[in-house]
Amino acid sequence: MIDQQLWVRERFPVLYEGNKPKAVLVDVESFAVMETMMDNILNREAEPEDAILVASGILKQLADQTQDELSSTDWEKELDEL
């Protein structure tokens, strides 16, 4: 279990090019955690709930509903809170 916020930009050194952020340096331990997370996402088995959402039309309804919503002014903070 990760007991810290892994996705906080301030946690990693940022490389700049022409005064614009270009890249982030990540320590090996954090990279291993991110690699495991991405591997789990990319190689997960399909779940029955996914098929139910698609077949019921609820997924399309939710996607359509998001089009009517205004964008968050601080989506990064809200994402971190999830």
Side-chain angles (χ1 to χ4, degrees), residues 17-61:
E17 184 177 279
N19 292 330
K20 293 185 180 182
K22 184 71 174 181
V24 178
L25 296 177
V26 181
D27 59 89
V28 174
E29 183 179 334
S30 297
F31 180 82
V33 172
M34 289 186 271
E35 187 176 40
T36 300
M37 292 170 65
M38 293 304 297
D39 187 55
N40 288 341
I41 291 169
L42 294 173
N43 296 308
R44 72 181 183 96
E45 296 291 323
E47 297 181 12
E49 295 87 353
D50 297 342
I52 292 169
L53 283 173
V54 173
S56 70
I58 292 174
L59 187 59
K60 180 173 180 356
Q61 182 181 4

